Amino acid sequence: AYIQGNDDTAEAVTKRLGYRIYRTDQMCELVEWMHDYNETAEEEDKVRLYGMDMQYDEDSIEAIKRFYEKVDESKKEAYSAKMLEYLGTSDYEFDASKYDEIIALMDEIQKDIDENKEAYAAITGEAETETIKWIATNIQYFISYHVKENATHMARDTYMKMNVDRILEVEEREHNGAVMIACHNSHMTKNLSTQFTFLGKFLRDEYADSYFAIGTDYYYSNDNVPNGNTSERITVKLCSDDPIAYQVKDMPEKKYYIDFSHVDNSTPLGNIINKRIKTGSVGEQYNVLFKVMKMLSQVNYAPTDMYDAMIVFYEVNPITIWED
């Protein structure tokens, strides 16, 4: 909403992002840039920021409550009481035994929005009304993922794919039909190149070359990672052994972008990108074994099997996550 011109500040809305690792100076700068760009952009060229993951429920619950506070206070009280009973007050507090009740409640909210769409849209706007209905659907994804799907990578990426499809549908209907996705390499690789790779393959299978996968890698990475199961974060230095990223040490900015379609396969670089090589892979998990068993923070596939292009750095340093 802020990016679309609502009164607020980039700092305030960045603080409210549900996923903690995005509460950073860099994300705040991106949000502010998008807001400022939209102030002068033509309507069809304006940008929007969507979420596609469904691992958490707290922010979704709060969005529904804020919506009904504006459109129907009595329904807000009724729905809030049920969500409090079934889903708790923070992520993962849900009562798994209330699975059927949670699904039914979200169905009820979606039905209510359908029946009162014009009245609600007159108060909040059509886009917000449609988004709240979508959010109710994502709470169903969330509870199914945790209760019925055993939180598998396949289930998570399947629900993310459904969200990307919905985002693309909105963009094609109302805007310019282009979507840029930001996520971990393991989600967006275009083939089944890792045990966690499903979203990118789903997109490639459906949209073919219209889905262009850009991977990111480093030679050395100083990572800000969780320290086991604690709330503490530590910085660890890891080496990917990526021979492409290693070459960047001799380039002026120690980084570059490479589009594989522009590489002659008969050249040394062409030979490298078409064979299995080690590349880095670190997410929001860290184990001390990463330091002694490097394969735990690497994947071993041909870059052309995973991506259409790569952004490669010689050494990267951690961003600072804002304190709560």
Side-chain angles (χ1 to χ4, degrees), residues 39-71:
E39 287 188 321
T40 58
E42 297 295 331
E43 188 61 36
E44 64 271 17
D45 293 328
K46 288 186 177 181
V47 293
R48 286 145 295 278
L49 184 64
Y50 298 91
M52 68 173 179
D53 207 347
M54 33 47 65
Q55 292 187 93
Y56 311 107
D57 65 332
E58 183 182 359
D59 292 293
S60 296
I61 292 167
E62 290 303 314
I64 292 173
K65 288 161 64 175
R66 287 194 301 270
F67 175 77
Y68 276 100
E69 192 171 79
K70 290 184 281 188
V71 301

PDB file of all heavy atoms in Angstrom, residues 39-71:
ATOM      1  N   GLU A  39       5.597   7.340  -8.111  1.00  0.00           N
ATOM      2  CA  GLU A  39       5.033   8.696  -8.059  1.00  0.00           C
ATOM      3  C   GLU A  39       4.984   9.345  -9.431  1.00  0.00           C
ATOM      4  O   GLU A  39       4.119  10.183  -9.696  1.00  0.00           O
ATOM      5  CB  GLU A  39       5.837   9.556  -7.086  1.00  0.00           C
ATOM      6  CG  GLU A  39       5.601   9.208  -5.627  1.00  0.00           C
ATOM      7  CD  GLU A  39       6.247  10.201  -4.682  1.00  0.00           C
ATOM      8  OE1 GLU A  39       7.366  10.666  -4.971  1.00  0.00           O
ATOM      9  OE2 GLU A  39       5.625  10.517  -3.655  1.00  0.00           O
ATOM     10  N   THR A  40       5.906   8.966 -10.317  1.00  0.00           N
ATOM     11  CA  THR A  40       5.941   9.588 -11.648  1.00  0.00           C
ATOM     12  C   THR A  40       5.712   8.587 -12.779  1.00  0.00           C
ATOM     13  O   THR A  40       5.637   8.988 -13.937  1.00  0.00           O
ATOM     14  CB  THR A  40       7.299  10.284 -11.869  1.00  0.00           C
ATOM     15  OG1 THR A  40       8.359   9.329 -11.721  1.00  0.00           O
ATOM     16  CG2 THR A  40       7.494  11.415 -10.870  1.00  0.00           C
ATOM     17  N   ALA A  41       5.584   7.298 -12.465  1.00  0.00           N
ATOM     18  CA  ALA A  41       5.411   6.282 -13.509  1.00  0.00           C
ATOM     19  C   ALA A  41       3.991   6.314 -14.069  1.00  0.00           C
ATOM     20  O   ALA A  41       3.032   6.677 -13.366  1.00  0.00           O
ATOM     21  CB  ALA A  41       5.718   4.900 -12.951  1.00  0.00           C
ATOM     22  N   GLU A  42       3.860   5.945 -15.349  1.00  0.00           N
ATOM     23  CA  GLU A  42       2.543   5.775 -15.934  1.00  0.00           C
ATOM     24  C   GLU A  42       1.835   4.620 -15.228  1.00  0.00           C
ATOM     25  O   GLU A  42       2.475   3.702 -14.719  1.00  0.00           O
ATOM     26  CB  GLU A  42       2.661   5.469 -17.431  1.00  0.00           C
ATOM     27  CG  GLU A  42       3.284   6.590 -18.249  1.00  0.00           C
ATOM     28  CD  GLU A  42       2.421   7.846 -18.267  1.00  0.00           C
ATOM     29  OE1 GLU A  42       1.178   7.717 -18.162  1.00  0.00           O
ATOM     30  OE2 GLU A  42       2.984   8.951 -18.367  1.00  0.00           O
ATOM     31  N   GLU A  43       0.516   4.641 -15.226  1.00  0.00           N
ATOM     32  CA  GLU A  43      -0.247   3.644 -14.481  1.00  0.00           C
ATOM     33  C   GLU A  43       0.138   2.223 -14.872  1.00  0.00           C
ATOM     34  O   GLU A  43       0.314   1.349 -14.013  1.00  0.00           O
ATOM     35  CB  GLU A  43      -1.754   3.856 -14.700  1.00  0.00           C
ATOM     36  CG  GLU A  43      -2.638   2.997 -13.813  1.00  0.00           C
ATOM     37  CD  GLU A  43      -2.434   3.271 -12.335  1.00  0.00           C
ATOM     38  OE1 GLU A  43      -2.209   4.444 -11.967  1.00  0.00           O
ATOM     39  OE2 GLU A  43      -2.487   2.298 -11.550  1.00  0.00           O
ATOM     40  N   GLU A  44       0.290   1.975 -16.179  1.00  0.00           N
ATOM     41  CA  GLU A  44       0.601   0.614 -16.617  1.00  0.00           C
ATOM     42  C   GLU A  44       2.028   0.192 -16.277  1.00  0.00           C
ATOM     43  O   GLU A  44       2.377  -0.995 -16.349  1.00  0.00           O
ATOM     44  CB  GLU A  44       0.372   0.471 -18.128  1.00  0.00           C
ATOM     45  CG  GLU A  44       1.270   1.309 -19.007  1.00  0.00           C
ATOM     46  CD  GLU A  44       0.718   2.702 -19.292  1.00  0.00           C
ATOM     47  OE1 GLU A  44      -0.204   3.130 -18.550  1.00  0.00           O
ATOM     48  OE2 GLU A  44       1.196   3.345 -20.240  1.00  0.00           O
ATOM     49  N   ASP A  45       2.867   1.160 -15.909  1.00  0.00           N
ATOM     50  CA  ASP A  45       4.261   0.856 -15.580  1.00  0.00           C
ATOM     51  C   ASP A  45       4.543   0.829 -14.079  1.00  0.00           C
ATOM     52  O   ASP A  45       5.676   0.569 -13.660  1.00  0.00           O
ATOM     53  CB  ASP A  45       5.192   1.891 -16.237  1.00  0.00           C
ATOM     54  CG  ASP A  45       5.185   1.794 -17.755  1.00  0.00           C
ATOM     55  OD1 ASP A  45       5.010   0.675 -18.259  1.00  0.00           O
ATOM     56  OD2 ASP A  45       5.347   2.831 -18.414  1.00  0.00           O
ATOM     57  N   LYS A  46       3.536   1.093 -13.265  1.00  0.00           N
ATOM     58  CA  LYS A  46       3.760   1.105 -11.825  1.00  0.00           C
ATOM     59  C   LYS A  46       4.073  -0.297 -11.312  1.00  0.00           C
ATOM     60  O   LYS A  46       3.633  -1.292 -11.883  1.00  0.00           O
ATOM     61  CB  LYS A  46       2.544   1.678 -11.101  1.00  0.00           C
ATOM     62  CG  LYS A  46       2.389   3.181 -11.303  1.00  0.00           C
ATOM     63  CD  LYS A  46       1.272   3.757 -10.475  1.00  0.00           C
ATOM     64  CE  LYS A  46       1.206   5.278 -10.651  1.00  0.00           C
ATOM     65  NZ  LYS A  46       0.133   5.884  -9.835  1.00  0.00           N
ATOM     66  N   VAL A  47       4.855  -0.349 -10.229  1.00  0.00           N
ATOM     67  CA  VAL A  47       5.282  -1.631  -9.676  1.00  0.00           C
ATOM     68  C   VAL A  47       4.554  -1.912  -8.362  1.00  0.00           C
ATOM     69  O   VAL A  47       4.097  -0.994  -7.680  1.00  0.00           O
ATOM     70  CB  VAL A  47       6.809  -1.663  -9.449  1.00  0.00           C
ATOM     71  CG1 VAL A  47       7.547  -1.630 -10.778  1.00  0.00           C
ATOM     72  CG2 VAL A  47       7.257  -0.502  -8.569  1.00  0.00           C
ATOM     73  N   ARG A  48       4.451  -3.199  -8.056  1.00  0.00           N
ATOM     74  CA  ARG A  48       3.812  -3.661  -6.821  1.00  0.00           C
ATOM     75  C   ARG A  48       4.704  -4.699  -6.167  1.00  0.00           C
ATOM     76  O   ARG A  48       5.517  -5.329  -6.838  1.00  0.00           O
ATOM     77  CB  ARG A  48       2.451  -4.280  -7.135  1.00  0.00           C
ATOM     78  CG  ARG A  48       1.376  -3.267  -7.479  1.00  0.00           C
ATOM     79  CD  ARG A  48       0.422  -3.780  -8.526  1.00  0.00           C
ATOM     80  NE  ARG A  48       1.116  -3.985  -9.793  1.00  0.00           N
ATOM     81  CZ  ARG A  48       1.375  -3.015 -10.673  1.00  0.00           C
ATOM     82  NH1 ARG A  48       0.985  -1.788 -10.422  1.00  0.00           N
ATOM     83  NH2 ARG A  48       2.020  -3.283 -11.786  1.00  0.00           N
ATOM     84  N   LEU A  49       4.533  -4.876  -4.876  1.00  0.00           N
ATOM     85  CA  LEU A  49       5.319  -5.869  -4.136  1.00  0.00           C
ATOM     86  C   LEU A  49       4.361  -6.900  -3.540  1.00  0.00           C
ATOM     87  O   LEU A  49       3.472  -6.562  -2.763  1.00  0.00           O
ATOM     88  CB  LEU A  49       6.118  -5.181  -3.026  1.00  0.00           C
ATOM     89  CG  LEU A  49       7.068  -6.066  -2.220  1.00  0.00           C
ATOM     90  CD1 LEU A  49       8.174  -6.626  -3.115  1.00  0.00           C
ATOM     91  CD2 LEU A  49       7.685  -5.271  -1.074  1.00  0.00           C
ATOM     92  N   TYR A  50       4.544  -8.148  -3.919  1.00  0.00           N
ATOM     93  CA  TYR A  50       3.699  -9.238  -3.437  1.00  0.00           C
ATOM     94  C   TYR A  50       4.518 -10.197  -2.585  1.00  0.00           C
ATOM     95  O   TYR A  50       5.730 -10.252  -2.694  1.00  0.00           O
ATOM     96  CB  TYR A  50       3.141 -10.053  -4.618  1.00  0.00           C
ATOM     97  CG  TYR A  50       2.258  -9.316  -5.588  1.00  0.00           C
ATOM     98  CD1 TYR A  50       2.787  -8.696  -6.723  1.00  0.00           C
ATOM     99  CD2 TYR A  50       0.876  -9.272  -5.399  1.00  0.00           C
ATOM    100  CE1 TYR A  50       1.971  -8.052  -7.634  1.00  0.00           C
ATOM    101  CE2 TYR A  50       0.054  -8.627  -6.309  1.00  0.00           C
ATOM    102  CZ  TYR A  50       0.603  -8.014  -7.426  1.00  0.00           C
ATOM    103  OH  TYR A  50      -0.208  -7.384  -8.335  1.00  0.00           O
ATOM    104  N   GLY A  51       3.824 -11.004  -1.789  1.00  0.00           N
ATOM    105  CA  GLY A  51       4.455 -12.122  -1.107  1.00  0.00           C
ATOM    106  C   GLY A  51       3.936 -13.414  -1.712  1.00  0.00           C
ATOM    107  O   GLY A  51       2.770 -13.503  -2.085  1.00  0.00           O
ATOM    108  N   MET A  52       4.809 -14.438  -1.803  1.00  0.00           N
ATOM    109  CA  MET A  52       4.357 -15.697  -2.410  1.00  0.00           C
ATOM    110  C   MET A  52       4.485 -16.882  -1.458  1.00  0.00           C
ATOM    111  O   MET A  52       3.997 -17.971  -1.753  1.00  0.00           O
ATOM    112  CB  MET A  52       5.153 -16.001  -3.680  1.00  0.00           C
ATOM    113  CG  MET A  52       6.610 -16.327  -3.458  1.00  0.00           C
ATOM    114  SD  MET A  52       7.411 -16.862  -4.970  1.00  0.00           S
ATOM    115  CE  MET A  52       9.079 -17.130  -4.381  1.00  0.00           C
ATOM    116  N   ASP A  53       5.137 -16.690  -0.307  1.00  0.00           N
ATOM    117  CA  ASP A  53       5.321 -17.816   0.606  1.00  0.00           C
ATOM    118  C   ASP A  53       4.145 -17.893   1.573  1.00  0.00           C
ATOM    119  O   ASP A  53       3.381 -16.943   1.723  1.00  0.00           O
ATOM    120  CB  ASP A  53       6.638 -17.655   1.368  1.00  0.00           C
ATOM    121  CG  ASP A  53       7.227 -18.987   1.803  1.00  0.00           C
ATOM    122  OD1 ASP A  53       6.517 -19.997   1.730  1.00  0.00           O
ATOM    123  OD2 ASP A  53       8.401 -19.003   2.213  1.00  0.00           O
ATOM    124  N   MET A  54       4.005 -19.061   2.236  1.00  0.00           N
ATOM    125  CA  MET A  54       2.860 -19.246   3.128  1.00  0.00           C
ATOM    126  C   MET A  54       3.271 -20.016   4.387  1.00  0.00           C
ATOM    127  O   MET A  54       2.483 -20.756   4.959  1.00  0.00           O
ATOM    128  CB  MET A  54       1.719 -19.975   2.399  1.00  0.00           C
ATOM    129  CG  MET A  54       2.112 -21.002   1.338  1.00  0.00           C
ATOM    130  SD  MET A  54       3.391 -22.168   1.792  1.00  0.00           S
ATOM    131  CE  MET A  54       2.615 -23.087   3.082  1.00  0.00           C
ATOM    132  N   GLN A  55       4.501 -19.816   4.858  1.00  0.00           N
ATOM    133  CA  GLN A  55       4.977 -20.564   6.021  1.00  0.00           C
ATOM    134  C   GLN A  55       4.419 -20.033   7.333  1.00  0.00           C
ATOM    135  O   GLN A  55       4.385 -20.745   8.323  1.00  0.00           O
ATOM    136  CB  GLN A  55       6.502 -20.484   6.099  1.00  0.00           C
ATOM    137  CG  GLN A  55       7.236 -21.209   5.010  1.00  0.00           C
ATOM    138  CD  GLN A  55       8.721 -21.202   5.308  1.00  0.00           C
ATOM    139  OE1 GLN A  55       9.250 -22.113   5.902  1.00  0.00           O
ATOM    140  NE2 GLN A  55       9.386 -20.127   4.907  1.00  0.00           N
ATOM    141  N   TYR A  56       4.027 -18.771   7.344  1.00  0.00           N
ATOM    142  CA  TYR A  56       3.630 -18.125   8.591  1.00  0.00           C
ATOM    143  C   TYR A  56       2.186 -17.650   8.510  1.00  0.00           C
ATOM    144  O   TYR A  56       1.644 -17.450   7.428  1.00  0.00           O
ATOM    145  CB  TYR A  56       4.548 -16.943   8.888  1.00  0.00           C
ATOM    146  CG  TYR A  56       6.009 -17.278   8.767  1.00  0.00           C
ATOM    147  CD1 TYR A  56       6.772 -16.820   7.704  1.00  0.00           C
ATOM    148  CD2 TYR A  56       6.627 -18.094   9.719  1.00  0.00           C
ATOM    149  CE1 TYR A  56       8.113 -17.142   7.584  1.00  0.00           C
ATOM    150  CE2 TYR A  56       7.971 -18.427   9.606  1.00  0.00           C
ATOM    151  CZ  TYR A  56       8.707 -17.952   8.540  1.00  0.00           C
ATOM    152  OH  TYR A  56      10.032 -18.279   8.425  1.00  0.00           O
ATOM    153  N   ASP A  57       1.561 -17.424   9.676  1.00  0.00           N
ATOM    154  CA  ASP A  57       0.153 -17.024   9.664  1.00  0.00           C
ATOM    155  C   ASP A  57      -0.145 -15.729  10.423  1.00  0.00           C
ATOM    156  O   ASP A  57      -1.182 -15.124  10.220  1.00  0.00           O
ATOM    157  CB  ASP A  57      -0.715 -18.142  10.238  1.00  0.00           C
ATOM    158  CG  ASP A  57      -0.438 -18.414  11.724  1.00  0.00           C
ATOM    159  OD1 ASP A  57       0.694 -18.159  12.177  1.00  0.00           O
ATOM    160  OD2 ASP A  57      -1.348 -18.898  12.413  1.00  0.00           O
ATOM    161  N   GLU A  58       0.765 -15.279  11.287  1.00  0.00           N
ATOM    162  CA  GLU A  58       0.444 -14.151  12.165  1.00  0.00           C
ATOM    163  C   GLU A  58       0.091 -12.885  11.381  1.00  0.00           C
ATOM    164  O   GLU A  58      -0.905 -12.219  11.679  1.00  0.00           O
ATOM    165  CB  GLU A  58       1.619 -13.869  13.113  1.00  0.00           C
ATOM    166  CG  GLU A  58       1.333 -12.749  14.101  1.00  0.00           C
ATOM    167  CD  GLU A  58       2.528 -12.451  15.004  1.00  0.00           C
ATOM    168  OE1 GLU A  58       3.567 -13.125  14.888  1.00  0.00           O
ATOM    169  OE2 GLU A  58       2.404 -11.525  15.827  1.00  0.00           O
ATOM    170  N   ASP A  59       0.892 -12.543  10.381  1.00  0.00           N
ATOM    171  CA  ASP A  59       0.622 -11.309   9.624  1.00  0.00           C
ATOM    172  C   ASP A  59      -0.660 -11.415   8.811  1.00  0.00           C
ATOM    173  O   ASP A  59      -1.366 -10.427   8.610  1.00  0.00           O
ATOM    174  CB  ASP A  59       1.812 -10.992   8.714  1.00  0.00           C
ATOM    175  CG  ASP A  59       3.048 -10.611   9.527  1.00  0.00           C
ATOM    176  OD1 ASP A  59       3.006  -9.556  10.169  1.00  0.00           O
ATOM    177  OD2 ASP A  59       4.021 -11.374   9.523  1.00  0.00           O
ATOM    178  N   SER A  60      -0.954 -12.635   8.341  1.00  0.00           N
ATOM    179  CA  SER A  60      -2.198 -12.847   7.597  1.00  0.00           C
ATOM    180  C   SER A  60      -3.412 -12.622   8.503  1.00  0.00           C
ATOM    181  O   SER A  60      -4.402 -12.000   8.101  1.00  0.00           O
ATOM    182  CB  SER A  60      -2.232 -14.262   7.015  1.00  0.00           C
ATOM    183  OG  SER A  60      -1.200 -14.434   6.079  1.00  0.00           O
ATOM    184  N   ILE A  61      -3.326 -13.138   9.719  1.00  0.00           N
ATOM    185  CA  ILE A  61      -4.411 -12.955  10.683  1.00  0.00           C
ATOM    186  C   ILE A  61      -4.624 -11.469  10.962  1.00  0.00           C
ATOM    187  O   ILE A  61      -5.758 -10.966  10.967  1.00  0.00           O
ATOM    188  CB  ILE A  61      -4.095 -13.705  11.992  1.00  0.00           C
ATOM    189  CG1 ILE A  61      -4.122 -15.218  11.751  1.00  0.00           C
ATOM    190  CG2 ILE A  61      -5.078 -13.315  13.100  1.00  0.00           C
ATOM    191  CD1 ILE A  61      -3.529 -16.029  12.895  1.00  0.00           C
ATOM    192  N   GLU A  62      -3.526 -10.740  11.185  1.00  0.00           N
ATOM    193  CA  GLU A  62      -3.626  -9.309  11.475  1.00  0.00           C
ATOM    194  C   GLU A  62      -4.224  -8.542  10.302  1.00  0.00           C
ATOM    195  O   GLU A  62      -4.988  -7.595  10.485  1.00  0.00           O
ATOM    196  CB  GLU A  62      -2.255  -8.755  11.842  1.00  0.00           C
ATOM    197  CG  GLU A  62      -1.736  -9.235  13.195  1.00  0.00           C
ATOM    198  CD  GLU A  62      -2.686  -8.918  14.331  1.00  0.00           C
ATOM    199  OE1 GLU A  62      -3.190  -7.773  14.403  1.00  0.00           O
ATOM    200  OE2 GLU A  62      -2.966  -9.826  15.130  1.00  0.00           O
ATOM    201  N   ALA A  63      -3.889  -8.946   9.075  1.00  0.00           N
ATOM    202  CA  ALA A  63      -4.436  -8.265   7.895  1.00  0.00           C
ATOM    203  C   ALA A  63      -5.951  -8.441   7.821  1.00  0.00           C
ATOM    204  O   ALA A  63      -6.684  -7.495   7.493  1.00  0.00           O
ATOM    205  CB  ALA A  63      -3.777  -8.812   6.634  1.00  0.00           C
ATOM    206  N   ILE A  64      -6.429  -9.646   8.101  1.00  0.00           N
ATOM    207  CA  ILE A  64      -7.877  -9.892   8.089  1.00  0.00           C
ATOM    208  C   ILE A  64      -8.566  -9.051   9.163  1.00  0.00           C
ATOM    209  O   ILE A  64      -9.616  -8.437   8.919  1.00  0.00           O
ATOM    210  CB  ILE A  64      -8.164 -11.394   8.304  1.00  0.00           C
ATOM    211  CG1 ILE A  64      -7.696 -12.198   7.085  1.00  0.00           C
ATOM    212  CG2 ILE A  64      -9.657 -11.628   8.548  1.00  0.00           C
ATOM    213  CD1 ILE A  64      -7.782 -13.709   7.254  1.00  0.00           C
ATOM    214  N   LYS A  65      -7.977  -8.974  10.343  1.00  0.00           N
ATOM    215  CA  LYS A  65      -8.568  -8.187  11.433  1.00  0.00           C
ATOM    216  C   LYS A  65      -8.618  -6.698  11.071  1.00  0.00           C
ATOM    217  O   LYS A  65      -9.625  -6.026  11.310  1.00  0.00           O
ATOM    218  CB  LYS A  65      -7.782  -8.415  12.724  1.00  0.00           C
ATOM    219  CG  LYS A  65      -8.006  -9.796  13.323  1.00  0.00           C
ATOM    220  CD  LYS A  65      -6.931 -10.211  14.297  1.00  0.00           C
ATOM    221  CE  LYS A  65      -6.840  -9.360  15.516  1.00  0.00           C
ATOM    222  NZ  LYS A  65      -5.840  -9.889  16.481  1.00  0.00           N
ATOM    223  N   ARG A  66      -7.540  -6.197  10.480  1.00  0.00           N
ATOM    224  CA  ARG A  66      -7.517  -4.772  10.085  1.00  0.00           C
ATOM    225  C   ARG A  66      -8.572  -4.491   9.019  1.00  0.00           C
ATOM    226  O   ARG A  66      -9.219  -3.429   9.027  1.00  0.00           O
ATOM    227  CB  ARG A  66      -6.127  -4.372   9.583  1.00  0.00           C
ATOM    228  CG  ARG A  66      -5.070  -4.245  10.659  1.00  0.00           C
ATOM    229  CD  ARG A  66      -3.831  -3.517  10.138  1.00  0.00           C
ATOM    230  NE  ARG A  66      -3.228  -4.193   9.004  1.00  0.00           N
ATOM    231  CZ  ARG A  66      -2.280  -5.121   9.095  1.00  0.00           C
ATOM    232  NH1 ARG A  66      -1.831  -5.489  10.297  1.00  0.00           N
ATOM    233  NH2 ARG A  66      -1.768  -5.678   8.020  1.00  0.00           N
ATOM    234  N   PHE A  67      -8.745  -5.430   8.108  1.00  0.00           N
ATOM    235  CA  PHE A  67      -9.727  -5.263   7.036  1.00  0.00           C
ATOM    236  C   PHE A  67     -11.137  -5.168   7.623  1.00  0.00           C
ATOM    237  O   PHE A  67     -11.898  -4.240   7.288  1.00  0.00           O
ATOM    238  CB  PHE A  67      -9.627  -6.443   6.064  1.00  0.00           C
ATOM    239  CG  PHE A  67     -10.675  -6.446   4.989  1.00  0.00           C
ATOM    240  CD1 PHE A  67     -10.580  -5.591   3.899  1.00  0.00           C
ATOM    241  CD2 PHE A  67     -11.762  -7.316   5.068  1.00  0.00           C
ATOM    242  CE1 PHE A  67     -11.551  -5.596   2.897  1.00  0.00           C
ATOM    243  CE2 PHE A  67     -12.733  -7.335   4.079  1.00  0.00           C
ATOM    244  CZ  PHE A  67     -12.626  -6.477   2.987  1.00  0.00           C
ATOM    245  N   TYR A  68     -11.497  -6.101   8.489  1.00  0.00           N
ATOM    246  CA  TYR A  68     -12.853  -6.096   9.044  1.00  0.00           C
ATOM    247  C   TYR A  68     -13.069  -4.959  10.029  1.00  0.00           C
ATOM    248  O   TYR A  68     -14.212  -4.531  10.264  1.00  0.00           O
ATOM    249  CB  TYR A  68     -13.182  -7.452   9.661  1.00  0.00           C
ATOM    250  CG  TYR A  68     -13.670  -8.430   8.620  1.00  0.00           C
ATOM    251  CD1 TYR A  68     -12.828  -9.391   8.077  1.00  0.00           C
ATOM    252  CD2 TYR A  68     -14.971  -8.352   8.126  1.00  0.00           C
ATOM    253  CE1 TYR A  68     -13.267 -10.264   7.091  1.00  0.00           C
ATOM    254  CE2 TYR A  68     -15.432  -9.227   7.141  1.00  0.00           C
ATOM    255  CZ  TYR A  68     -14.577 -10.175   6.626  1.00  0.00           C
ATOM    256  OH  TYR A  68     -15.022 -11.023   5.638  1.00  0.00           O
ATOM    257  N   GLU A  69     -12.003  -4.440  10.593  1.00  0.00           N
ATOM    258  CA  GLU A  69     -12.127  -3.253  11.440  1.00  0.00           C
ATOM    259  C   GLU A  69     -12.655  -2.081  10.625  1.00  0.00           C
ATOM    260  O   GLU A  69     -13.388  -1.225  11.132  1.00  0.00           O
ATOM    261  CB  GLU A  69     -10.761  -2.913  12.039  1.00  0.00           C
ATOM    262  CG  GLU A  69     -10.808  -1.898  13.156  1.00  0.00           C
ATOM    263  CD  GLU A  69      -9.463  -1.779  13.832  1.00  0.00           C
ATOM    264  OE1 GLU A  69      -8.577  -1.092  13.265  1.00  0.00           O
ATOM    265  OE2 GLU A  69      -9.273  -2.396  14.890  1.00  0.00           O
ATOM    266  N   LYS A  70     -12.326  -2.060   9.333  1.00  0.00           N
ATOM    267  CA  LYS A  70     -12.770  -0.988   8.449  1.00  0.00           C
ATOM    268  C   LYS A  70     -14.147  -1.248   7.844  1.00  0.00           C
ATOM    269  O   LYS A  70     -14.933  -0.315   7.664  1.00  0.00           O
ATOM    270  CB  LYS A  70     -11.751  -0.783   7.320  1.00  0.00           C
ATOM    271  CG  LYS A  70     -10.441  -0.182   7.781  1.00  0.00           C
ATOM    272  CD  LYS A  70      -9.496   0.099   6.621  1.00  0.00           C
ATOM    273  CE  LYS A  70      -8.801  -1.153   6.138  1.00  0.00           C
ATOM    274  NZ  LYS A  70      -7.731  -0.855   5.134  1.00  0.00           N
ATOM    275  N   VAL A  71     -14.436  -2.515   7.531  1.00  0.00           N
ATOM    276  CA  VAL A  71     -15.667  -2.781   6.772  1.00  0.00           C
ATOM    277  C   VAL A  71     -16.836  -3.270   7.623  1.00  0.00           C
ATOM    278  O   VAL A  71     -17.996  -3.055   7.264  1.00  0.00           O
ATOM    279  CB  VAL A  71     -15.412  -3.790   5.627  1.00  0.00           C
ATOM    280  CG1 VAL A  71     -14.342  -3.262   4.677  1.00  0.00           C
ATOM    281  CG2 VAL A  71     -15.031  -5.173   6.156  1.00  0.00           C
TER     282      VAL A  71
END
